[in-house]
């Protein structure tokens, strides 16, 4: 019976001995006849069992065992060649993308197996591409050979072939994705535009690597060497470890650079987001103890990136505090610092989930860096508020504090309050139209809207106080003709003076602009109308009225409606002005005189 087994194995093994058969030398066993390939594997397995019997019978020196050993060596040489050919000839079908795609579609078909009545699902399940079929067949053949060689004690030879070919595929894949070995000094010397391009490339490469390259390789390795966890780990580690460390090491290099471009913050956050979003996959794919260095590298990069984000946030705060420009913005409009800071903060708010992770354990900022007047007001942070809310509220507080200092450069105090109102209104508007509204909350918005009203309330009496003071406290009380004329003269002069001064002011926010104009008009036009209607007849006839009464209540309302669009220069209107041509012509025909 032993002799029959050895003879049967010899027949098929020697048929495919490339050293004795020219046909076997140029032909693939698994490609030529799958049925004969299975027979070859069965014969080798039977031969292996026979050899164990011969050894257990203490007949290890017998001719039968020697013959069986020679046949086994010949068979392993053939299988090693077949293993190499399958891996080489199916590089395209066994690339990580094909393997990972086939695996995901197989999972999808399994999850929809209960819905075979659905034509669309059934059609999708049946539409397995030719590449997927070839890939599946190649993986099955590789597993068959690997199982046989491992069982026969030739695992080392099998692993050598697999590692050599598969590592070249992974290395080539990483190279094509643009991942290269760089030193810290090389990254530091790069211009920001060059580094920015490399970061963008890395973000795409990381996505592809995790979705296909390493995922596909792990799937293939797990299936081919399913019978041995040790071999599976050894192969995957040697094939992927170097490339994975190279991939996840790049973000750490970027985090360590001293580049100060504003865009760096967002690139760092993008890289942090990419790694953190794929963290579960990283732990799953590189779960072996021997690939722990890959996990550690990815973790180190996360830590370095988070440190970089904190450092950049501190730099941003410092930039605001160090802004030393003393140029007064014409008309009390928006300061460039307000615009640039809020642009930055609204973009940061889009990364709120990532920032929450990064600054959750970051100690709150030291309030001693701000003037005492800002430390005990409604901006004081709630100790129970999330760290991200505290941090954003603090950065805006630093900005508002800096703006408060800049407002003091205006010689006209009313203009300083208008400046503060405009800039705070812009801050609130950007908060309301971005993710900042969810970070800071409605209470924060309400408190700061109250501040805007406070600023505009302070502005009105300073800018228009003399106009109100020119009219009597009781505008409908009877007065003499002389006093009435005197009141009209004072009103004309004070209104002209206030109007020309305020005409150069600007309120960019349309809603705030209308609120301020409505507030002034409601008080001033109402007061003046009562005085006008009561005293117009007191000054005398129509000729006297034309001399002393320059404005009707409607005129006052019309002039007020022209305010806060900015200075009209060179005789032409500002592009943002909505002053009617009728009102402008009237003003030019009858110039206001102080």
């Amino acid at each position: 019976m032993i002799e029959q087994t050895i003879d049967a194995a010899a027949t098929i093994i020697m048929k495919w001995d490339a050293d004795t058969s020219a046909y076997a030398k140029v032909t693939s066993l698994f490609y030529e006849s799958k049925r004969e390939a299975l027979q070859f594997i069965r014969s080798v397995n039977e031969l292996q069992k026979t050899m164990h019997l011969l050894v257990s019978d203490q007949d290890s020196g017998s001719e039968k065992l020697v013959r069986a050993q020679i046949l086994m060596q010949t068979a392993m040489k053939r299988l090693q060649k077949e293993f190499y050919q399958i891996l080489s000839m199916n590089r395209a079908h066994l690339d990580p993308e094909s393997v990972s795609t086939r695996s995901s579609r197989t999972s999808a078909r399994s999850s929809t197996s209960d819905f075979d009545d659905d034509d669309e699902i059934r059609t999708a399940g049946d539409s397995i591409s030719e590449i997927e079929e070839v890939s599946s067949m190649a993986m099955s053949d590789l597993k068959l050979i690997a199982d046989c060689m491992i069982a026969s004690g030739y695992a080392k030879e099998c692993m050598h072939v697999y590692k050599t070919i598969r590592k070249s595929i992974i290395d080539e894949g990483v190279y094509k994705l643009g991942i290269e070995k760089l030193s810290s000094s090389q990254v530091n010397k790069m211009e920001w535009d060059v580094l920015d391009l490399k970061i963008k490339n890395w973000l795409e490469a990381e996505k592809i690597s995790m979705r296909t390259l390493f995922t596909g390789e792990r799937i293939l390795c797990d299936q081919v060497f399913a019978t041995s966890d040790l071999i599976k780990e050894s192969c995957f580690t040697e094939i992927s470890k170097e490339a994975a460390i190279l991939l996840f090491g790049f973000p750490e290099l970027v985090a360590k650079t001293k580049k100060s471009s504003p865009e760096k913050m967002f690139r760092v956050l993008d890289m942090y987001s990419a790694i953190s979003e794929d963290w579960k996959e990283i732990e799953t794919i590189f779960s072996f103890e021997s690939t722990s260095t890959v996990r550690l590298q990815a973790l180190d990069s996360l830590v370095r990136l988070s440190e970089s984000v904190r450092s950049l946030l501190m730099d941003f705060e410092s930039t605001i505090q160090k802004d030393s420009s003393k140029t007064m913005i014409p008309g009390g409009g928006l300061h460039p610092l307000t615009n640039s800071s809020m642009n930055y903060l609204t973009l940061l708010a889009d990364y709120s989930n990532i920032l929450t992770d990064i600054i959750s354990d970051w100690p709150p900022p030291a309030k001693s860096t701000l003037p005492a007047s800002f430390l005990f007001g409604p901006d004081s942070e709630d100790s129970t508020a999330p760290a991200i809310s505290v941090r954003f509220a603090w950065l805006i507080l630093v900005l508002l504090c800096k703006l408060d200092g800049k407002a003091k450069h205006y010689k006209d105090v009313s203009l300083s309050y208008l400046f503060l109102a405009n800039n705070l209104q812009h801050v609130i508007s950007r908060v309301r139209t971005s993710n900042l509204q969810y970070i800071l909350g409605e209470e924060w918005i309400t408190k700061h809207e109250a501040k805007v009203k406070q600023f505009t309330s302070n502005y009105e009496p300073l800018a228009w106080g003399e106009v109100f003071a020119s009219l009597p406290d009781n505008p409908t009380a009877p007065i003499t003709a002389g006093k009435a004329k005197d009141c009209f003269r004072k009103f004309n002069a004070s209104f002209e003076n206030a109007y020309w001064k305020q005409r150069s002011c600007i309120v960019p926010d349309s809603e705030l602009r209308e609120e301020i104009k409505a507030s002034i008009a409601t008080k001033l036009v109402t007061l003046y109308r009562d005085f006008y209607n009561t005293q117009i007849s007191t000054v005398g006839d129509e000729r006297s009225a034309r001399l002393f009464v320059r404005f009707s209540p409607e005129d006052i309302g019309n002039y007020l409606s022209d305010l806060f669009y900015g200075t009209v220069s060179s005789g032409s209107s500002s592009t943002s002005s909505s002053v009617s041509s009728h009102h402008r012509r009237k003003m030019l025909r009858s110039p206001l005189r102080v």
Side-chain angles (χ1 to χ4, degrees), residues 174-463:
V174 169
Y175 175 78
K176 286 182 177 179
L177 289 173
I179 303 301
E180 56 184 322
K181 190 170 185 178
L182 295 169
S183 66
S184 183
S185 61
Q186 284 177 308
V187 175
N188 261 316
K189 290 176 183 177
M190 288 180 186
E191 294 294 330
W192 171 250
D193 289 344
V194 176
L195 182 56
D196 186 42
L197 194 61
K198 286 191 175 295
I199 294 172
K200 289 179 182 178
N201 180 75
W202 181 90
L203 291 168
E204 186 64 24
E206 192 276 342
K207 187 189 303 180
I208 295 172
S209 296
M210 292 307 299
R211 301 295 180 274
T212 60
L213 198 64
F214 296 120
T215 301
E217 189 55 46
R218 177 62 194 265
I219 291 170
L220 181 62
C221 211
D222 284 353
Q223 293 197 23
V224 172
F225 300 108
T227 57
S228 173
D229 290 340
L230 287 176
I231 293 176
K232 184 194 309 178
E233 177 176 353
S234 175
C235 288
F236 181 74
T237 299
E238 188 166 330
I239 290 166
S240 63
K241 181 178 175 180
E242 183 180 343
I245 290 177
L246 192 63
L247 175 72
F248 292 117
F250 177 73
E252 183 177 2
L253 296 177
V254 174
K256 289 179 179 178
T257 61
K258 298 177 181 179
K259 307 293 180 186
S260 57
S261 171
E263 291 85 358
K264 182 183 177 183
M265 168 68 87
F266 305 103
R267 292 296 178 224
V268 168
L269 287 168
D270 286 336
M271 289 191 288
Y272 186 98
S273 177
I275 297 176
S276 60
E277 285 177 4
D278 286 337
W279 185 251
K280 287 185 178 179
E281 286 76 10
I282 293 171
E283 287 189 311
T284 300
I285 295 170
F286 302 99
S287 59
F288 299 123
E289 181 62 32
S290 55
T291 55
S292 61
T293 50
V294 175
R295 301 195 302 273
L296 286 174
Q297 178 59 72
L299 186 59
D300 284 345
S301 287
L302 280 179
V303 171
R304 292 289 185 180
L305 290 170
S306 65
E307 290 173 352
S308 179
V309 168
R310 293 184 182 188
S311 176
L312 290 167
L313 282 174
M314 292 172 68
D315 289 345
F316 173 63
E317 178 183 335
S318 179
T319 299
I320 296 175
Q321 291 180 329
K322 290 179 180 178
D323 186 280
S324 58
S325 62
K326 296 182 179 179
T327 304
M328 292 179 290
I329 305 303
L334 287 181
H335 198 284
L337 182 63
T338 306
N339 199 42
S340 61
S341 297
M342 291 313 298
N343 284 344
Y344 195 81
L345 289 173
T346 51
L347 288 172
L348 272 183
D350 292 336
Y351 294 87
S352 57
N353 291 335
I354 297 300
L355 285 169
T356 297
D357 291 338
I358 293 174
I359 66 178
S360 59
D361 59 346
W362 197 13
K367 294 183 177 182
S368 58
T369 56
L370 292 183
S373 59
F374 279 82
L375 302 185
F376 305 103
D379 290 297
S380 299
E381 294 86 357
D382 182 355
S383 60
T384 62
I388 187 173
S389 300
V390 172
R391 185 61 55 173
F392 272 88
W394 170 260
L395 290 172
I396 292 179
L397 181 58
V398 170
L399 171 63
L400 296 180
C401 179
K402 178 58 69 172
L403 292 172
D404 184 71
K406 294 184 181 299
K408 295 173 183 176
H409 295 305
Y410 287 100
K411 294 180 180 179
D412 185 342
V413 181
S414 68
L415 199 56
S416 68
Y417 280 114
L418 191 63
F419 170 80
L420 290 172
N422 278 329
N423 283 270
L424 181 53
Q425 181 63 29
H426 180 75
V427 170
I428 295 169
S429 176
R430 296 302 301 274
V431 170
R432 278 207 175 277
T433 56
S434 68
N435 282 335
L436 285 170
Q437 63 178 314
Y438 307 113
I439 295 173
L440 297 174
E442 195 62 34
E443 184 180 356
W444 185 96
I445 295 174
T446 302
K447 285 179 180 179
H448 286 78
E449 284 178 337
K451 282 188 176 183
V452 173
K453 292 187 182 298
Q454 180 184 333
F455 290 145
T456 56
S457 295
N458 291 342
Y459 157 79
E460 285 184 20
L462 290 168

Side-chain angles (χ1 to χ4, degrees), residues 49-191:
K49 291 177 184 178
T50 300
M51 290 174 68
H52 279 295
L53 286 173
L54 290 171
V55 172
S56 64
D57 288 342
Q58 297 183 350
D59 199 12
S60 57
S62 69
E63 294 181 2
K64 296 176 186 176
L65 184 58
V66 173
R67 184 186 177 204
Q69 184 63 43
I70 294 172
L71 286 172
M72 180 61 73
Q73 290 175 352
T74 303
M76 291 300 107
K77 189 176 179 180
R78 180 74 224 184
L79 288 180
Q80 188 174 348
K81 181 180 180 180
E82 292 292 326
F83 198 72
Y84 178 87
Q85 285 181 325
I86 294 171
L87 285 170
S88 300
M89 293 169 62
N90 291 279
R91 282 179 71 101
H93 302 134
L94 291 175
D95 70 288
E97 183 175 0
S98 299
V99 174
S100 58
T101 301
R102 188 186 73 84
S103 177
S104 61
R105 291 191 184 178
T106 301
S107 299
R109 287 195 295 273
S110 298
S111 63
T112 58
S113 60
D114 294 336
F115 302 92
D116 288 338
D117 292 339
D118 191 306
D119 290 338
E120 292 185 5
I121 295 177
R122 184 169 59 251
T123 301
D126 292 339
S127 62
I128 305 173
S129 68
E130 180 183 348
I131 291 178
E132 289 175 329
E133 289 181 353
V134 174
S135 171
S136 179
M137 188 177 298
M139 289 170 70
S140 177
D141 291 345
L142 288 171
K143 182 180 184 306
L144 201 62
I145 296 172
D147 288 347
C148 184
M149 292 185 72
I150 293 169
S152 301
Y154 285 78
K156 185 178 180 181
E157 289 77 3
C158 181
M159 291 166 63
H160 175 73
V161 173
Y162 187 87
K163 288 176 181 178
T164 301
I165 294 180
R166 295 308 301 177
K167 190 175 189 306
S168 69
I169 292 175
I170 293 298
D171 290 345
E172 181 183 338
V174 169
Y175 175 78
K176 286 182 177 179
L177 289 173
I179 303 301
E180 56 184 322
K181 190 170 185 178
L182 295 169
S183 66
S184 183
S185 61
Q186 284 177 308
V187 175
N188 261 316
K189 290 176 183 177
M190 288 180 186
E191 294 294 330

